[in-house]
Amino acid sequence: NLLLVLLVLLVLFSCAVNSLIIPNIPSLPHSPPRRSFMNSVASNALLLPAALFVPGAANAAVPEPRQQQDLQDYSDFTKTKEGWSFKDATPGKGGTAAVKGDRVVFDWSGYTIGYFGRPFQAKGGPQGGAFDKDLDYERTVLGSGSQIRAVEEALVGMSAGQVRQVIVPYGDLSYPESDPNHERVGPKPATFSGLRALNFVLENKAGTIDRTLLINLKCIRVDKKSASGFTVER
């Protein structure tokens, strides 16, 4: 507002000075009359930046375009046609391999590998720490949809004692947005700290965080389905 007042005063002062100094000088050929010139100045004032008239506009930060971070390369993992990748860290003990319809008992740990490798599920943490908790094994029937796609597909073919590392890209293979508390589709972190670490990455909508996950799976046993239920492998 102050700048607008100063601009108006400057224009009025110019008019007064011109009328005193050159009152009788005729207009030069091809030069616009003084009234046309002043009208031009007034109309051009409407084209001045809004920052001169809007308080705080001059100091407003111009947002920079956000850029999606590139996904990391996991060349030592084998990528499947479905899109998830795996690496077998420990072979199985020679037991029956899991197939669709079997019940698999497994242990797991998870890390936000695309974002500083922070754990959201771990065992054996320091006493009093975020992961100082005895955890039960997970159980799932392959094909039931109770686990995220990448985990359920990775469990197929595993046998007791086998450890498989799984790279889970964000999307259909990962945790669904419709289940933010992970009650319907697991595996669910066992602690509040783990749940918060996982959701911090998954719920980033700006595209500034790589939401790729690393999940380590250890097959404890494979229970075969029978007419009377599941047969526990010994």
Side-chain angles (χ1 to χ4, degrees):
N1 291 337
L2 179 60
L3 291 177
L4 178 60
V5 172
L6 292 176
L7 178 63
V8 173
L9 292 176
L10 179 62
V11 171
L12 294 176
F13 178 76
S14 298
C15 293
V17 170
N18 289 338
S19 63
L20 293 174
I21 299 176
I22 50 175
N24 298 319
I25 295 179
S27 299
L28 296 174
H30 310 297
S31 65
R34 184 177 299 164
R35 182 180 298 275
S36 300
F37 173 75
M38 295 308 300
N39 290 338
S40 176
V41 171
S43 62
N44 287 337
L46 299 177
L47 303 179
L48 292 175
L52 295 177
F53 306 98
V54 180
N59 298 324
V62 178
E64 298 181 357
R66 298 184 183 275
Q67 296 181 353
Q68 175 67 47
Q69 294 182 356
D70 295 332
L71 298 181
Q72 300 182 37
D73 178 35
Y74 306 100
S75 56
D76 53 337
F77 284 71
T78 301
K79 189 171 184 178
T80 65
K81 63 179 181 180
E82 290 79 12
W84 55 275
S85 304
F86 74 97
K87 180 173 67 174
D88 287 333
T90 304
K93 299 178 181 179
T96 304
V99 297
K100 187 175 180 179
D102 290 344
R103 182 176 64 190
V104 179
V105 180
F106 66 97
D107 198 4
W108 73 290
S109 61
Y111 301 85
T112 59
I113 191 173
Y115 184 71
F116 298 110
R118 294 177 176 173
F120 57 89
Q121 175 77 359
K123 298 183 72 173
Q127 187 174 5
F131 300 101
D132 176 21
K133 185 175 182 179
D134 293 330
L135 304 179
D136 294 331
Y137 294 137
E138 297 281 340
R139 291 168 173 78
T140 185
V141 176
L142 299 183
S144 65
S146 63
Q147 306 295 314
I148 61 174
R149 274 188 56 199
V151 166
E152 187 163 285
E153 293 175 5
L155 288 171
V156 174
M158 292 185 68
S159 58
Q162 185 173 353
V163 176
R164 175 169 288 176
Q165 296 180 292
V166 184
I167 300 293
V168 184
Y170 181 76
D172 293 340
L173 295 169
S174 189
Y175 291 88
E177 294 183 359
S178 59
D179 184 31
N181 292 323
H182 315 301
E183 298 289 351
R184 180 172 53 85
V185 182
K188 177 182 178 179
T191 65
F192 174 76
S193 297
L195 186 64
R196 184 173 58 179
L198 173 60
N199 286 345
F200 176 81
V201 170
L202 294 179
E203 294 174 1
N204 178 266
K205 308 297 184 183
T208 56
I209 292 180
D210 184 349
R211 291 179 276 187
T212 304
L213 307 175
L214 169 66
I215 294 183
N216 299 320
L217 301 172
K218 180 179 180 180
C219 181
I220 304 302
R221 70 171 192 265
V222 178
D223 300 335
K224 291 295 182 180
K225 189 174 182 178
S226 63
S228 57
F230 288 96
T231 302
V232 178
E233 187 179 68
R234 299 297 182 183

